[in-house]
């Protein structure tokens, strides 16, 4: 779920059909999104939003001699092979997040663009007298 939210929000921030973040603040906004996901999902899911971030420390811990603690579930009698869930889960979540964005938000932006409700990318709406 965390990776799905991350990809949906990154797509929303970077989509040129959407209202862009001003003054090159997209990296800061993405950083805030990652921090918010970490604060909300980190305690119960181990902050597993990136397989490389999860698997690297596990592999190092296993190489350092902590065999069964690095890959939980490898000991007989415990939950079977849990260690692969934080690796495969974010990959599936990323695909789901982008699909949800494309189906529910991206299509709406395409239709709004075809109807002329969106300004051209990189250009704002002209100021009208009625705005004052």
């Amino acid at each position: 779920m965390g990776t799905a939210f991350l990809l949906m929000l990154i797509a929303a921030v970077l989509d040129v059909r959407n209202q862009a973040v001003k003054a090159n603040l997209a990296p800061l906004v993405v950083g805030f999104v990652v921090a918010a996901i970490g604060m909300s999902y980190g305690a119960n899911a181990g902050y597993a939003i990136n397989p490389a971030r999860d698997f690297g420390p596990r592999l190092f811990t296993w190489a350092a001699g902590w065999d069964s603690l690095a890959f939980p579930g490898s000991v007989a009698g415990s939950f079977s092979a849990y260690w692969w869930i934080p690796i495969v889960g974010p990959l599936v979540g990323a695909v789901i997040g982008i699909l949800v964005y494309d189906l529910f938000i991206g299509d709406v932006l395409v239709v709004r663009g075809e109807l002329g409700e969106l300004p051209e990318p990189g250009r704002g709406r002209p100021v009208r007298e009625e705005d004052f």
Side-chain angles (χ1 to χ4, degrees):
M1 288 302 299
T3 306
F5 288 138
L6 176 65
L7 269 283
M8 281 189 285
L9 291 169
I10 287 176
V13 168
L14 299 180
D15 194 350
V16 295
R17 299 169 297 184
N18 205 352
Q19 294 181 357
V21 177
K22 304 295 184 212
N24 296 330
L25 289 175
L28 181 65
V29 171
V30 170
F32 285 147
V33 167
V34 170
I37 290 170
M39 285 186 273
S40 59
Y41 284 104
N44 60 355
Y47 213 122
I49 59 174
N50 181 353
R53 187 182 181 279
D54 187 75
F55 186 64
R58 286 184 192 275
L59 191 60
F60 178 78
T61 307
W62 177 79
W66 296 73
D67 299 328
S68 64
L69 293 176
F71 296 102
S74 58
V75 179
S78 65
F79 184 69
S80 178
Y82 169 78
W83 65 271
W84 66 273
I85 294 172
I87 295 172
V88 175
L91 297 174
V92 173
V95 172
I96 291 172
I98 288 297
L99 286 175
V100 166
Y101 180 82
D102 279 345
L103 292 174
F104 293 107
I105 299 170
D107 287 345
V108 172
L109 293 175
V110 169
V111 172
R112 285 179 60 194
E114 290 172 356
L115 294 175
E117 295 179 11
L118 291 176
E120 295 178 25
R123 301 182 73 189
R125 183 176 64 85
V127 177
R128 298 185 189 128
E129 217 169 41
E130 301 91 46
D131 293 339
F132 296 103

